[in-house]
Amino acid sequence: MNRTLTVTALLLAAGLGGVAAAQTQTSYKGPKVTLTYLHGFTGADRPVMERLIAQFNAAHPNIQVRAQAQPWGTTWQQLPSLVASGRAPDVVVINEDQITNFIARGAVSPLTNAELQSAGISKSRFYGPLFKTADYEGKSYGVPISSVAYVMFYNKDLMKKSGVTKVPTNRTELLAAARACTTDRSGRKPGQAGFDPKALNTWGISLYNNWVGSRLAYAAILQNGGSLVDKNLNASFNSPQAVEAVQFLVDLVQKQNVARPNSTEEAELAAFSQGKVCFFPSGQWYLDRFEQQKMNFGVAFVPRVGTKQDAAWGGSSHLTLPKQRAGYDANKRRAALAFVNWMTSPNQNLAWTEAGSLPVMPAVANNKKFENRPIAGVFEKLGNIYATSGFPWGGQVLGPFDNAWANAYSGKQSVKAALDAGVSEANKQIQQARKTFQ
Amino acid sequence: MSLSLPGEAARPREGRRRRGGREGSALTPYLYLLPFMALFLVFVVYPVGYGLFVSLHRWDLLAETRPFVGLEYYRNLFDPETPQSQFFWNSMKNTGFFTLVSVPLLIGTSLGLALLLHRPIFGRAFFRSVFFLPGILTVSVMGILWRWMFDNQIGLVNAVRTDLLGMQPLPFLSTEGLAWVPIIVGTVWWTIGFNMTLYLAGLGNISQSYYEAAEIDGATPWAKFRFITWPLLAPVTLFVFVTTVLASFQLFGQTLVITAGGPNRTTQSTIQYITEEAFSNNQFSSASAMAFLFGLVMLIFTYLQFRIMARDARGEN
């Protein structure tokens, strides 16, 4: 007993000592500077961010960070004029859906390897694809601070009742489990004589028609080795791999009858809460809600319905250094990098997960704090989360993609026709957008 | 001259007094106008001018060059090959359809309600408040409410259809055409109270003596409405018509929240599409060009309505 305690104490001391050393180590030794920091964490995450900033200021007498929280949309509208007039804040948080556009327009400055190194920021600390979200044309522009992801919630009670013992991880398992979960109002299963797909009582998986619903199609396309854009950054979500992946999902509703047709996110959310559906793929942000409902549920990584790799959609926020006017104080930039490093260090990232974010690095995901939490079910594959990023025309690609998914899911068009139409529309818009970037 | 009117002789004296007396110099009125003029220049003339500049250039605040492209973005709106032309005119068609359907409904129902609630019925004040209350909700609350009511699966409307009437549910939110139902019904519910209140005020201004005289002549209720109420409400109707048409053209929040413009952009309003082009696609010049074209169409409509109003004021209506 005593020995165990001593060992634990030693281990703890070692761990904390390491952390403390990392924390006091700062790359900035220059004169006192004041940094302005603009972010959009205005909800329940705001007090957590403010607490972290206060801690940073207390621990760094020669750097004072003055933070301003405002809605994301306001920042997207203001940032260009702030940069153009040379009044940009020293540090700005930009989300994954905007970042490549701001990079391509020159609003954000690249972070060189030398800079990252001297500030103590190591790329390898983070999940690879997450860090690459803020990369463009071979350069890095931001450091991830916050992350959300598409996951698959599962209802343990209904699975048990349906005889499903294992959470599906691939196409075959998903289809089998979904069939087992599906019954019509008279208790018949898909494939049985007299089964009425229009009157489902319980069903296997939630598919739905909005942008959140279309993120499952995005995951399936990546899993099959496809992508939204090709190497020239033109839309390419109608490749054979993409069509095959989306066809599997559409068949779940139209052929297999294990999902409800014409459904909405609200309807599927309600159905999952009421125990009518086994698998509900959606954003991890619903976690709180299900926990508060005291549901008997679990969280898993999106099953691999493609054949090439694991993949799921993720959203993220990145600390960036905007482009400044000529003659900008080099001390400020060094101090800003020190701030970015501190804010994205394991201890701070662990504190930040209280705000609802997923860990942005394995060191935090391995923390004991998460061991018995439902969300830990996806941690093993956090390195397989991919943002819709890397092309400056986010709206022009995602709008037509989401619309194509809605048309294919509802059966208005065949999968191929819907994706072809989406790509054609997206590429026409990209062609126009390119002129702005010349 | 014996034919001259009495006022004419007095006029020059008045003029002298105005110039000389305590009413100040000729500059005075302009000084009074100055604060408004300043605001008008800063918040109307300058943005409009800047918008016009943006629409004629390939404009991005961060770009190093902002080349003049003339009418390129306007031409795009008339070139059937561009997505801009396709979606802009589609959104104009949608907005026009909404206006055409919703305006008669908004006027008819509010007039009907006002006629019912003008009479001394039991609980009149309560009903007046009940019909007025939805108007104080924000568009997002109103939108979410009606999206839930008409949800494809869990909406109240479909619950009634399936559970009470034994019918199949209708996917209102994802069916072209049907998606307009929650938007129009919701808008009527949301804005009916304001128009109703205007009509109630108008009805209160009609002298009872007209109705008493008509009753003596044996007029039917319909005749009383047709020959007394309706003509005397004409100024109110015109005001309601003009404001409702302008408000309908500005359709934005309802479609954004209820259907997000879908399915397939069949409920996307013009302002929604302009917003998408500007802030989702970052095509500010193109969005500015659309805004100017849309503004021009609105201006023509407003001009026509003013013509009607002026004719009405002269008593020609």
Side-chain angles (χ1 to χ4, degrees):
Chain A
M1 181 77 179
N2 254 346
R3 185 180 289 174
T4 329
L5 268 178
T6 320
V7 170
T8 318
L10 276 174
L11 279 175
L12 268 175
L16 287 175
V19 165
Q23 222 165 17
T24 46
Q25 204 179 64
T26 173
S27 53
Y28 181 70
K29 304 268 191 286
K32 183 167 176 166
V33 288
T34 303
L35 300 177
T36 48
Y37 169 45
L38 187 60
H39 64 84
F41 303 112
T42 54
D45 41 15
R46 183 174 179 162
V48 185
M49 179 47 77
E50 281 171 357
R51 199 182 73 215
L52 287 173
I53 294 162
Q55 279 175 20
F56 176 84
N57 283 340
H60 298 80
N62 58 346
I63 309 175
Q64 278 304 298
V65 173
R66 285 207 192 126
Q68 190 191 338
Q70 64 178 29
W72 296 114
T74 312
T75 301
W76 312 151
Q77 287 180 33
Q78 286 180 353
L79 190 58
S81 52
L82 288 173
V83 170
S85 62
R87 292 180 293 118
D90 300 295
V91 183
V92 179
V93 184
I94 306 184
N95 292 345
E96 93 290 343
D97 58 334
Q98 298 288 333
I99 196 156
T100 317
N101 182 270
F102 280 121
I103 294 169
R105 287 160 75 193
V108 189
S109 67
L111 309 169
T112 63
N113 282 332
E115 275 181 325
L116 289 172
Q117 208 177 356
S118 73
I121 303 167
S122 158
K123 289 184 190 183
S124 59
R125 181 158 93 204
F126 303 90
Y127 289 112
L130 182 63
F131 193 91
K132 285 203 182 82
T133 299
D135 284 5
Y136 187 61
E137 293 181 342
K139 289 181 188 157
S140 299
Y141 289 84
V143 183
I145 176 177
S146 189
S147 140
V148 294
Y150 209 76
V151 296
M152 189 174 80
F153 295 99
Y154 54 92
N155 187 318
K156 290 181 180 169
D157 293 338
L158 183 60
M159 280 165 66
K160 200 173 165 192
K161 207 175 131 196
S162 313
V164 180
T165 50
K166 181 178 180 288
V167 181
T169 55
N170 60 39
R171 192 181 277 203
T172 325
E173 287 172 8
L174 178 67
L175 187 56
R179 285 171 72 96
C181 290
T182 308
T183 47
D184 71 2
R185 292 220 178 105
S186 35
R188 294 189 187 91
K189 297 259 165 207
Q192 281 183 348
F195 171 77
D196 180 6
K198 282 188 177 150
L200 295 182
N201 190 38
T202 60
W203 56 99
I205 183 166
S206 287
L207 301 177
Y208 41 96
N209 63 6
N210 69 349
W211 75 268
V212 189
S214 98
R215 293 302 174 266
L216 186 61
Y218 172 69
I221 290 172
L222 297 192
Q223 291 174 352
N224 233 7
S227 63
L228 290 184
V229 294
D230 60 20
K231 63 180 191 324
N232 298 319
L233 305 185
N234 289 315
S236 67
F237 52 81
N238 62 344
S239 64
Q241 299 99 307
V243 174
E244 203 271 345
V246 177
Q247 188 70 54
F248 171 77
L249 294 177
V250 169
D251 283 349
L252 289 177
V253 56
Q254 287 171 6
K255 270 198 193 141
Q256 311 289 351
N257 302 314
V258 297
R260 268 200 306 194
N262 283 318
S263 204
T264 58
E265 188 183 3
E266 278 104 346
E268 292 303 313
L269 182 60
F272 182 72
S273 304
Q274 294 159 5
K276 288 180 172 177
V277 57
C278 275
F279 308 114
F280 177 62
S282 189
Q284 126 275 1
W285 48 82
Y286 282 126
L287 192 68
D288 274 358
R289 179 185 168 128
F290 298 145
E291 278 181 327
Q292 275 167 19
Q293 282 181 357
K294 309 245 182 293
M295 279 183 64
N296 189 15
F297 76 104
V299 188
F301 199 79
V302 176
R304 197 196 277 200
V305 301
T307 51
K308 287 264 162 62
Q309 56 174 353
D310 280 317
W313 171 84
S316 51
S317 304
H318 300 259
L319 290 162
T320 67
L321 307 186
K323 194 166 132 189
Q324 304 288 353
R325 63 183 181 282
Y328 177 71
D329 186 354
N331 283 321
K332 278 193 161 197
R333 190 170 169 96
R334 274 197 289 276
L337 282 157
F339 172 65
V340 170
N341 178 43
W342 184 89
M343 199 50 117
T344 56
S345 293
N347 257 14
Q348 280 62 254
N349 187 240
L350 183 65
W352 181 243
T353 55
E354 284 169 34
S357 163
L358 288 167
V360 300
M361 57 192 78
V364 172
N366 293 334
N367 192 283
K368 284 212 176 310
K369 179 183 158 185
F370 298 107
E371 241 167 29
N372 297 313
R373 299 282 309 280
I375 191 67
V378 301
F379 278 11
E380 199 187 317
K381 293 181 180 171
L382 282 180
N384 298 100
I385 288 169
Y386 298 87
T388 46
S389 168
F391 42 94
W393 21 79
Q396 288 93 331
V397 174
L398 288 172
F401 176 67
D402 294 343
N403 197 34
W405 161 254
N407 283 340
Y409 162 67
S410 68
K412 223 167 274 164
Q413 283 176 300
S414 73
V415 171
K416 176 91 171 80
L419 294 179
D420 281 349
V423 164
S424 149
E425 181 197 322
N427 282 337
K428 276 186 191 169
Q429 303 228 43
I430 290 171
Q431 202 186 341
Q432 306 224 333
R434 276 185 195 282
K435 293 182 188 168
T436 324
F437 291 96
Q438 270 166 8
Chain B
M1 294 273 265
S2 59
L3 279 177
S4 70
L5 293 166
E8 276 183 21
R11 239 174 243 160
R13 252 204 332 268
E14 272 179 8
R16 268 201 304 279
R17 198 169 64 200
R18 201 178 292 132
R19 267 198 302 277
R22 57 204 153 96
E23 290 176 35
S25 72
L27 268 178
T28 314
Y30 296 99
L31 281 173
Y32 276 112
L33 275 176
L34 202 63
F36 173 76
M37 199 61 185
L39 292 174
F40 181 73
L41 285 174
V42 172
F43 291 108
V44 178
V45 176
Y46 174 72
V48 167
Y50 195 39
L52 192 66
F53 175 86
V54 167
S55 75
L56 297 174
H57 294 71
R58 186 167 298 130
W59 183 92
D60 188 298
L61 252 182
L62 294 163
E64 276 157 23
T65 58
R66 291 163 206 158
F68 177 77
V69 292
L71 296 175
E72 180 186 317
Y73 290 105
Y74 292 90
R75 269 200 307 272
N76 280 347
L77 298 178
F78 296 96
D79 174 1
E81 284 303 300
T82 64
Q84 279 78 9
S85 123
Q86 192 189 335
F87 299 146
F88 178 74
W89 294 110
N90 169 61
S91 74
M92 288 289 272
K93 197 187 79 197
N94 295 339
T95 308
F97 172 79
F98 173 78
T99 308
L100 216 62
V101 176
S102 72
V103 169
L105 273 177
L106 285 167
I107 295 176
T109 46
S110 56
L111 175 62
L113 270 184
L115 287 171
L116 286 174
L117 291 177
H118 183 61
R119 299 195 299 190
I121 58 163
F122 177 73
R124 187 166 72 156
F126 169 76
F127 285 116
R128 284 185 181 187
S129 326
V130 162
F131 288 115
F132 187 76
L133 271 177
I136 63 170
L137 295 178
T138 62
V139 67
S140 43
V141 172
M142 168 267 173
I144 291 172
L145 193 68
W146 287 93
R147 195 175 70 203
W148 283 351
M149 293 275 273
F150 279 89
D151 189 278
N152 294 353
Q153 306 281 356
I154 52 168
L156 189 66
V157 175
N158 274 327
V160 169
R161 286 179 60 88
T162 52
D163 298 351
L164 292 183
L165 305 172
M167 298 154 95
Q168 279 296 317
L170 275 177
F172 284 100
L173 300 182
S174 55
T175 308
E176 294 180 14
L178 272 185
W180 279 111
V181 176
I183 294 165
I184 289 170
V185 173
T187 305
V188 170
W189 173 84
W190 187 41
T191 55
I192 200 170
F194 184 69
N195 287 354
M196 179 193 76
T197 309
L198 292 173
Y199 269 125
L200 279 172
L203 286 168
N205 278 337
I206 300 176
S207 167
Q208 281 303 310
S209 58
Y210 295 126
Y211 294 106
E212 285 160 12
E215 264 164 36
I216 291 168
D217 292 341
T220 59
W222 167 248
K224 279 191 274 182
F225 174 77
R226 169 75 186 81
F227 295 107
I228 303 172
T229 314
W230 180 248
L232 289 176
L233 280 180
V236 181
T237 304
L238 260 165
F239 179 77
V240 167
F241 178 70
V242 171
T243 51
T244 311
V245 167
L246 284 177
S248 298
F249 266 116
Q250 289 172 29
L251 173 69
F252 177 61
Q254 298 100 299
T255 53
L256 188 72
V257 180
I258 298 176
T259 59
N264 272 324
R265 296 182 190 260
T266 49
T267 58
Q268 188 174 49
S269 71
T270 306
I271 297 189
Q272 200 183 337
Y273 179 55
I274 293 174
T275 313
E276 177 191 319
E277 182 75 346
F279 297 109
S280 173
N281 294 346
N282 288 304
Q283 296 290 307
F284 302 103
S285 305
S286 174
S288 299
M290 287 175 201
F292 271 99
L293 199 62
F294 184 53
L296 190 72
V297 173
M298 296 267 280
L299 217 66
I300 293 170
F301 267 93
T302 316
Y303 170 75
L304 290 176
Q305 285 169 341
F306 269 103
R307 282 279 300 264
I308 299 171
M309 275 172 82
R311 215 171 57 188
D312 178 65
R314 290 197 302 268
E316 291 167 22
N317 194 8

